[in-house]
Amino acid sequence: MALTTTQQQDIIKYCVGLFNAAPGGYMTELAQFVIDGGTPTQMAENLANGPTFKGLSFAYSDASTNEQFVDAFFANLLGDTVSGEALAWATDWALTRIEQAGRAIMMIEAIDDLALVEDDNAAWIAARDLQVERIETATEYTIDNSGTSTDLDELQGVVAGTTPVVGGETFTLTTGIDNIVGTAGNDTINASWNTAATKTLGGLDNIDGGAGTDTLNVDDSATASGTLFSTGGATVKNVEVIKIATTGQLGDKSAATAL
């Protein structure tokens, strides 16, 4: 019997989620547990209840409070990708699940749920992408490069410093007054500077790309040759990339503030 791709990825996912480490030289032993009839979830539960995990920090020991445990676990799993109401909600959920099912099950469910976050979930997408990047890095070391280290510090170092490729949202300007506030991801803002009926950039439009590397796309392809393109008094800030498709000329963009 051999592992399926899903089982292999689950083993790596749980090692990353629990230890923030690649499985490396432990992969064969962990895989054998599954080959012998166990499940990746059972494997993860055994790891979470074992001395190595509990010895990672006082917060993971049996002497810690559940609040200390949850704070430490989310700091490891999420980094600084989630804050405010979303983190408060997750903390309340985690404390409730610990009371219902125990610490190990709570962590396994949190790791699984994070992998299922949809692309339009702005509060959690960065955390999901961070997990994805860590798993891909751990997979490259363990599977692609046949990494065999069993030193936990070294295995944690494999995924240390991994950052997510952050997705964002797409915004489309209207012919009215638009007030666009971007997300923490890489947003795209689409606009038109064609005929009066389709002109969507200008006037009192206020565009703030927010964090990330944001792109403003301006369709000016219907402008008559020789006509100067202008931003028409729009306020644009925190937008790192501006792309203009035009048949005319690029005119004075000074009316757009803090590009």
Side-chain angles (χ1 to χ4, degrees), residues 171-254:
F171 302 90
T172 301
L173 301 188
T174 69
T175 55
I177 298 174
D178 297 295
N179 186 20
I180 302 296
V181 178
T183 70
N186 302 332
D187 302 308
T188 300
I189 303 107
N190 294 321
S192 170
W193 184 261
N194 288 318
T195 65
T198 61
K199 187 178 295 185
T200 62
L201 177 65
L204 299 178
D205 288 338
N206 191 333
I207 302 170
D208 182 351
T213 301
D214 308 300
T215 301
L216 172 62
N217 294 315
V218 182
D219 178 10
D220 188 40
S221 56
T223 298
S225 178
T227 301
L228 290 177
F229 165 84
S230 170
T231 52
T235 298
V236 182
K237 63 181 180 180
N238 296 321
V239 173
E240 289 71 25
V241 180
I242 297 179
K243 298 180 180 180
I244 301 172
T246 182
T247 55
Q249 303 175 40
L250 294 181
D252 181 11
K253 298 182 287 303
S254 61

Side-chain angles (χ1 to χ4, degrees), residues 20-45:
N20 198 14
Y26 294 106
M27 187 67 187
T28 299
E29 178 184 350
L30 298 175
Q32 191 62 52
F33 176 86
V34 177
I35 291 171
D36 289 342
T39 67
T41 299
Q42 291 170 334
M43 178 217 71
E45 188 172 0

Side-chain angles (χ1 to χ4, degrees), residues 11-256:
I11 291 172
I12 296 173
K13 176 181 68 175
Y14 291 132
C15 287
V16 169
L18 293 172
F19 295 94
N20 198 14
Y26 294 106
M27 187 67 187
T28 299
E29 178 184 350
L30 298 175
Q32 191 62 52
F33 176 86
V34 177
I35 291 171
D36 289 342
T39 67
T41 299
Q42 291 170 334
M43 178 217 71
E45 188 172 0
N46 290 343
L47 291 176
N49 287 322
T52 301
F53 178 77
K54 291 184 178 183
L56 289 175
S57 71
F58 174 83
Y60 287 159
S61 73
D62 293 333
S64 68
T65 67
N66 286 339
E67 288 78 9
Q68 291 167 337
F69 182 90
V70 169
D71 287 347
F73 172 63
F74 281 148
N76 174 69
L77 182 68
L78 306 174
D80 60 358
T81 60
V82 177
S83 61
E85 292 183 4
L87 184 58
W89 175 88
T91 299
D92 289 342
W93 169 85
L95 291 171
T96 299
R97 286 302 289 149
I98 288 175
E99 292 296 325
Q100 295 170 340
R103 292 179 172 183
I105 295 300
M106 180 279 292
M107 290 189 291
I108 291 167
E109 291 180 353
I111 293 167
D112 287 341
D113 289 347
L114 187 58
L116 299 175
V117 167
E118 299 288 344
D119 289 343
D120 60 354
N121 191 333
W124 290 93
I125 188 65
R128 185 206 66 182
D129 287 349
L130 176 61
Q131 182 189 55
V132 168
E133 289 294 308
R134 285 172 169 173
I135 292 171
E136 289 179 351
T137 301
T139 299
E140 180 179 5
Y141 172 81
T142 303
I143 307 301
D144 300 339
N145 296 331
S146 302
T148 59
S149 175
T150 55
D151 182 272
L152 182 56
D153 288 340
E154 184 174 338
L155 294 174
Q156 289 177 324
V158 170
V159 298
T162 304
T163 56
V165 178
V166 183
E169 295 187 18
T170 298
F171 302 90
T172 301
L173 301 188
T174 69
T175 55
I177 298 174
D178 297 295
N179 186 20
I180 302 296
V181 178
T183 70
N186 302 332
D187 302 308
T188 300
I189 303 107
N190 294 321
S192 170
W193 184 261
N194 288 318
T195 65
T198 61
K199 187 178 295 185
T200 62
L201 177 65
L204 299 178
D205 288 338
N206 191 333
I207 302 170
D208 182 351
T213 301
D214 308 300
T215 301
L216 172 62
N217 294 315
V218 182
D219 178 10
D220 188 40
S221 56
T223 298
S225 178
T227 301
L228 290 177
F229 165 84
S230 170
T231 52
T235 298
V236 182
K237 63 181 180 180
N238 296 321
V239 173
E240 289 71 25
V241 180
I242 297 179
K243 298 180 180 180
I244 301 172
T246 182
T247 55
Q249 303 175 40
L250 294 181
D252 181 11
K253 298 182 287 303
S254 61

